């Protein structure tokens, strides 16, 4: 019987546990480990008869993760802790020759870089250890990369432009809250935007924009028109390497006015800072303090209504003719909560994490080294999405 080690017991971790239990024939015994045992206990209590063991680990310490992997004889590690732990967990997987999967690129706590460089640099070591590392197996990155690979495989000879369109029309009733870890979320949206395009000489270049400088109104099926703002998002870094003939790629995300106003105010007063400041003789990091004040994203589930719609719009050439398609997935927050006790953003991240791990354990996705999602055959992943709660649609535009 297999043993699946899941590290991280937040909103996403909870969904991963639920979906692995639903697919117990593949995942076998589940070991859920996190920094605090309390959060693991809450998740374990969702089940009466599932084979789940809970453990504590400080995943910032490679040796602790090595000991955890060895003691539970894990066949795979699903990392749904925070991006800060990616490298230590990857190194523990190399040391123990255990396949690895995550949902977000590595970040240093002091400086957000939004890049795969340090994870890609471990490719050789993964090869030497004879194991697979799957990077970014959430929704975006994750399913969106697979949508691009699927479009490339079935709909185009060459894709020229891609817009990734991410809409969360969920309402949690708070004036301001983030749908996943506040530090990670607020860093992402308060940073300068960036998109990639080929210049007249055919060279790819990144064009930087001010935060929220570029906006388009997009009509999201089953939701309606929403202001969508250009952001940098990590999946673009790998997609520009792997999608044939690409001339431009952009990423857009919706934000409501209340969210934007709060964010602007917090930024103006320095609350999004990630450098230590002195307060009454103590050192505090403003962003960490803000995290303490904001609602825990894992607690938003029971109060969130509305839908998410995330997809890609790809334009290019098929058999000499221009073509434009939209592949998207719509999910209802309340349905997610009914199934997994988690809201839609955690759900749509946790399900692809489970699917990626399932395909690895089944040997349908295999290889040695580190991989981004679009490098693998999209078909089995797309099939699993249909049956695991994330059905998608393709629309010819
Ligand atoms: P949460 O903050 O809800 O949960 C994170 C969990 O990781 C908590 O249980 C936390 O424990 C644990 N953790 C933090 N540090 C450590 C450590 N040093 N050792 C062990 N455990 C630790 O985050 P989410 O569940 O919302 O997000 C999980 C991951 O998913 C993040 O990396 C996020 O960036 C990613 N994500 C990806 C998306 C995608 O589409 N690709 C979308 C949304 C999220 P404790 O509570 O004790 O601190």
């Amino acid at each position: 019987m297999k043993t699946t080690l899941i590290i991280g017991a937040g909103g996403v971790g909870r969904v991963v546990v639920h979906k692995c239990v639903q697919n117990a024939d593949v995942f076998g015994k589940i070991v859920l480990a996190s920094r605090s045992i309390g959060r693991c206990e809450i998740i374990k209590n969702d089940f009466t008869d599932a084979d789940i063991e809970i453990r504590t680990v400080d995943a910032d310490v490679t040796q602790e993760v090595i000991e955890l992997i060895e003691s539970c004889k894990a066949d795979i590690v699903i990392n749904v802790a925070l991006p800060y732990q990616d490298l230590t967990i990857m190194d523990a997987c190399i040391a123990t020759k255990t396949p690895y999967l995550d949902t977000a690129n590595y970040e240093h706590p002091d400086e957000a870089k939004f890049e795969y460089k340090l994870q890609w640099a471990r490719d050789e070591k993964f090869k030497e250890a004879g194991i697979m590392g799957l990077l970014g197996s959430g929704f975006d990155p994750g399913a969106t990369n697979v949508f691009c690979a699927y479009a490339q495989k079935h709909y185009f000879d060459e894709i020229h432009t891609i817009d990734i369109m991410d809409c969360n029309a969920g309402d949690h009733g708070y004036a301001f809250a983030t749908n996943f870890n506040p530090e990670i979320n607020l860093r992402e949206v308060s940073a300068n935007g960036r998109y990639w395009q080929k210049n007249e000489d055919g060279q790819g270049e990144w064009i930087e924009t001010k935060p929220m400088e570029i906006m388009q109104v997009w009509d999201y099926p089953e939701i309606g028109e929403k202001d969508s703002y250009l952001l940098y998002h990590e999946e673009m870094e790998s997609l520009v390497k792997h999608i044939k003939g690409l001339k431009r790629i952009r990423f857009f995300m919706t934000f409501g006015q209340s969210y934007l106003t709060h964010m602007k105010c917090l930024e103006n007063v320095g609350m999004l800072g990630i450098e230590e400041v002195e307060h009454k003789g103590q050192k505090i990091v403003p962003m960490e303090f803000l995290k303490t004040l904001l609602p825990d994203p894992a607690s938003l589930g029971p109060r969130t209504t509305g839908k998410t719609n995330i997809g890609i719009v790809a334009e290019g050439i098929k058999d000499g003719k221009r073509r434009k398609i939209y592949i998207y997935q719509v999910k209802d927050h309340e349905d997610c909560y009914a199934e997994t006790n988690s809201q839609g953003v955690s759900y749509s991240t946790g399900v692809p994490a489970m699917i990626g791990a399932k395909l690895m354990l089944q040997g349908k996705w295999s290889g040695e080294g580190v991989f981004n999602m679009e490098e693998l055959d999209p078909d089995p992943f797309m099939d699993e999405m249909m049956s695991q709660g994330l059905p998608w649609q393709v629309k010819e535009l």
Side-chain angles (χ1 to χ4, degrees):
M1 191 176 74
K2 300 264 189 246
T3 297
T4 300
L5 173 59
I6 300 165
I7 303 183
V12 178
R14 185 175 213 154
V15 175
V16 175
V17 173
H18 274 262
K19 297 308 278 194
C20 288
V21 168
Q22 288 174 18
N23 291 267
D25 54 326
V26 175
F27 290 98
K29 179 187 168 94
I30 289 156
V31 179
L32 173 63
S34 196
R35 192 161 44 186
S36 45
I37 199 77
R39 299 193 72 166
C40 299
E41 268 161 8
I42 292 171
I43 296 175
K44 189 178 157 84
N45 288 341
D46 283 353
F47 305 90
T48 45
D49 57 359
D51 191 3
I52 303 171
E53 182 185 327
I54 55 174
R55 304 279 287 268
T56 53
V57 67
D58 181 356
D60 288 322
V61 183
T62 302
Q63 189 54 35
E64 279 201 28
V65 184
I66 291 176
E67 284 163 19
L68 173 67
I69 294 173
E70 283 174 342
S71 71
C72 66
K73 299 191 175 59
D75 292 286
I76 191 165
V77 176
I78 302 178
N79 167 17
V80 280
L82 296 178
Y84 313 133
Q85 284 85 47
D86 286 2
L87 299 183
T88 43
I89 300 178
M90 286 177 91
D91 289 343
C93 285
I94 293 165
T96 55
K97 299 189 176 15
T98 312
Y100 167 89
L101 174 149
D102 66 31
T103 65
N105 70 202
Y106 168 72
E107 294 295 355
H108 190 280
D110 298 336
E111 192 185 8
K113 294 230 168 117
F114 310 110
E115 61 184 24
Y116 283 111
K117 194 166 85 188
L118 295 171
Q119 290 177 275
W120 285 342
R122 281 159 169 78
D123 184 53
E124 266 313 307
K125 292 218 162 121
F126 269 71
K127 287 193 168 94
E128 282 163 23
I131 52 165
M132 180 174 186
L134 184 60
L135 306 182
S137 189
F139 207 103
D140 48 341
T144 49
N145 303 55
V146 177
F147 287 173
C148 293
Y150 189 78
Q152 178 162 271
K153 181 171 174 183
H154 297 287
Y155 287 88
F156 293 98
D157 297 322
E158 250 185 31
I159 298 180
H160 292 163
T161 65
I162 294 172
D163 279 347
I164 300 167
M165 307 302 306
D166 178 332
C167 172
N168 177 10
D171 181 5
H172 42 59
Y174 288 115
F176 186 71
T178 61
N179 289 294
F180 62 95
N181 187 278
E183 274 173 71
I184 309 294
N185 182 237
L186 292 168
R187 272 185 183 195
E188 191 172 271
V189 300
S190 59
N192 277 349
R194 234 186 306 158
Y195 64 98
W196 181 95
Q197 68 179 21
K198 277 206 171 137
N199 61 24
E200 284 164 5
D201 303 330
Q203 301 298 315
E205 58 184 6
W206 291 100
I207 316 288
E208 193 153 302
T209 64
K210 297 248 159 8
M212 311 293 163
E213 183 185 336
I214 297 181
M215 192 277 278
Q216 64 165 317
V217 177
W218 185 255
D219 192 0
Y220 293 89
E222 298 184 42
I223 290 175
E225 290 190 349
K226 292 277 175 196
D227 293 353
S228 306
Y229 295 85
L230 187 142
L231 297 184
Y232 179 71
H233 222 243
E234 65 202 59
E235 63 264 50
M236 293 193 285
E237 188 186 6
S238 65
L239 287 167
V240 301
K241 286 175 50 167
H242 299 130
I243 300 296
K244 275 185 287 181
L246 198 60
K247 294 181 179 158
R248 189 190 71 201
I249 183 164
R250 305 181 298 183
F251 180 96
F252 290 88
M253 190 180 268
T254 60
F255 294 100
Q257 269 320 311
S258 171
Y259 185 97
L260 292 179
T261 308
H262 277 80
M263 209 183 73
K264 194 83 224 146
C265 296
L266 291 166
E267 192 174 22
N268 286 345
V269 296
M271 280 299 288
L272 303 186
I274 54 176
E275 316 239 302
E276 280 184 345
V277 295
E278 188 138 331
H279 173 71
K280 293 191 171 175
Q282 276 195 326
K283 300 252 190 246
I284 60 164
V285 176
M287 179 75 98
E288 285 175 5
F289 178 59
L290 177 62
K291 185 182 170 197
T292 307
L293 298 179
L294 289 177
D296 176 359
S299 72
L300 299 178
R303 359 181 348 133
T304 307
T305 57
K307 291 179 178 173
T308 59
N309 178 335
I310 312 176
I312 64 141
V313 179
E315 194 168 356
I317 301 283
K318 179 74 177 174
D319 300 330
K321 291 200 194 104
R322 291 212 68 76
R323 169 173 227 191
K324 190 174 186 179
I325 63 155
Y326 184 17
I327 309 180
Y328 61 89
Q329 199 288 319
V330 181
K331 196 70 201 170
D332 188 298
H333 283 283
E334 288 172 277
D335 291 346
C336 298
Y337 189 74
E339 185 188 334
T340 62
N341 292 340
S342 293
Q343 39 85 3
V345 174
S346 303
Y347 187 95
S348 55
T349 309
V351 175
M354 180 281 291
I355 295 174
K358 181 174 178 183
L359 298 179
M360 286 167 74
L361 284 173
Q362 290 175 323
K364 292 184 181 170
W365 275 8
S366 60
E368 291 176 3
V370 296
F371 296 84
N372 292 92
M373 306 286 283
E374 69 277 11
E375 293 179 83
L376 298 146
D377 180 7
D379 292 352
F381 192 97
M382 295 293 273
D383 289 346
E384 285 284 342
M385 282 185 75
M386 279 294 185
S387 59
Q388 299 285 351
L390 293 177
W392 44 271
Q393 301 187 48
V394 184
K395 208 172 175 180
E396 195 95 33
L397 299 181

